[in-house]
Amino acid sequence: MKAVATEKAPKALGPYSQGYVHNGIFCSAGQIPINPATDAIEAETIAEQTEQVCKNLAAVLEAAGTSFDKVLKTTCFLSDMGDFAAFNEVYAKYFTSKPARSCVAVKTLPKNVLCEVELIAVVE
Ligand SMILES: C=C(N)C(=O)O
């Protein structure tokens, strides 16, 4: 089992890793829209926050030796299901292979962000 760690994605906010690879499978931690260069949340709108989340996921996927086209499943957390359409618009640009997905609205997310996404991908 190998922990994934990259400075191109935000540091963990608590007792967890950015992800783990085991037996050809990568499981990521949930990514929220922190800019890893500044450790700050600069993105404001759901579109901007989704874009930052996807950039962070790109970084952990790369560090794990895989990519968006190898993603099997994502889990998406929104703080407001009213953001569903705007979230999907940005999400669809990155997840072009349309992996399996669950999307739920939750009461609050860490740092009061609007969205968080975690994923499972194949590492070949
Ligand atoms: C942001 C997270 N992934 C967390 O707090 O677990």
Side-chain angles (χ1 to χ4, degrees):
M1 216 165 75
K2 188 171 185 302
V4 168
T6 175
E7 304 217 326
K8 294 183 188 166
K11 291 187 274 294
L13 298 175
Y16 62 91
S17 299
Q18 290 172 330
Y20 262 94
V21 175
H22 182 65
N23 277 352
I25 294 290
F26 172 56
C27 292
S28 84
Q31 280 295 333
I32 63 170
I34 294 172
N35 178 344
T38 59
D39 277 337
I41 295 162
E42 289 143 12
E44 291 179 5
T45 65
I46 184 66
E48 291 166 350
Q49 292 204 2
T50 307
E51 193 80 44
Q52 183 67 60
V53 163
C54 289
K55 285 180 183 161
N56 294 345
L57 289 169
V60 293
L61 282 165
E62 183 186 26
T66 185
S67 53
F68 281 107
D69 58 320
K70 303 279 190 334
V71 175
L72 298 171
K73 168 89 201 301
T74 69
T75 307
C76 307
F77 306 91
L78 303 180
S79 62
D80 179 353
M81 204 44 88
D83 288 337
F84 190 66
F87 170 79
N88 279 338
E89 199 171 316
V90 178
Y91 177 98
K93 289 195 307 176
Y94 288 87
F95 293 94
T96 55
S97 63
K98 298 186 181 173
R101 186 180 99 173
S102 303
C103 183
V104 295
V106 296
K107 188 163 173 258
T108 50
L109 287 163
K111 306 256 183 206
N112 284 322
V113 297
L114 303 176
C115 57
E116 175 171 346
V117 178
E118 65 184 29
L119 55 75
I120 299 168
V122 173
V123 180
E124 287 172 332

